[in-house]
Amino acid sequence: MSYVDGFIAAVPTTNRDKFKQHAEFMAAIFKENGALSVTECWGDDVPEGKVTSFPMAVKLKEGETVVFSWIVWPDRKTRDAGMQQFMADPRVRSEGNSMPFDGQRMIFGGFETIVNV
């Protein structure tokens, strides 16, 4: 089954267009390195929780929006190699291509797919 990298981040709402451009640029590099698909979702109905929530997880500040993203890979082996190639790609660290959000508050992880219907 496929392997999924998941991400949650807080993005300044005024940076929506910058974020979209950044995400499209990065998605192309991920796909060059073996990703099957890249999905970026802009928060629309993301309530604050009492115990836990997306806003609490990313320490959402006023004027920010939660973004939920994932990358689908064929398998973990492809993901590990693809992510290594992605991180070594000079385009990823090129000047003017900085993340339009606070990467320290981004949450990410890799997940083995167990159900896909």
Side-chain angles (χ1 to χ4, degrees):
M1 289 203 122
S2 60
Y3 195 82
V4 177
D5 278 317
F7 308 87
I8 304 167
V11 178
T13 305
T14 57
N15 283 356
R16 181 180 170 138
D17 290 338
K18 287 180 187 175
F19 176 81
K20 186 175 184 284
Q21 289 175 334
H22 177 79
E24 289 170 340
F25 181 78
M26 294 300 183
I29 299 171
F30 280 121
K31 291 190 83 178
E32 285 175 21
N33 289 295
L36 299 174
S37 65
V38 178
T39 303
E40 301 282 354
C41 303
W42 191 260
D44 179 55
D45 182 17
V46 187
E48 182 72 41
K50 293 183 181 186
V51 177
T52 189
S53 66
F54 284 119
M56 291 168 74
V58 297
K59 298 183 179 180
L60 192 71
K61 298 176 183 175
E62 188 173 332
E64 293 180 330
T65 300
V66 174
V67 172
F68 177 50
S69 312
W70 64 91
I71 304 169
V72 178
W73 303 90
D75 51 48
R76 170 82 188 261
K77 183 179 176 182
T78 303
R79 178 270 204 159
D80 288 350
M83 194 62 82
Q84 185 175 16
Q85 292 168 319
F86 173 86
M87 295 305 285
D89 191 309
R91 295 173 293 174
V92 173
R93 305 237 187 273
S94 65
E95 190 172 325
N97 191 33
S98 61
M99 295 187 300
F101 60 93
D102 181 359
Q104 292 182 337
R105 290 187 286 140
M106 180 173 69
I107 298 168
F108 58 91
F111 301 85
E112 179 183 344
T113 300
I114 59 171
V115 175
N116 186 13
V117 294

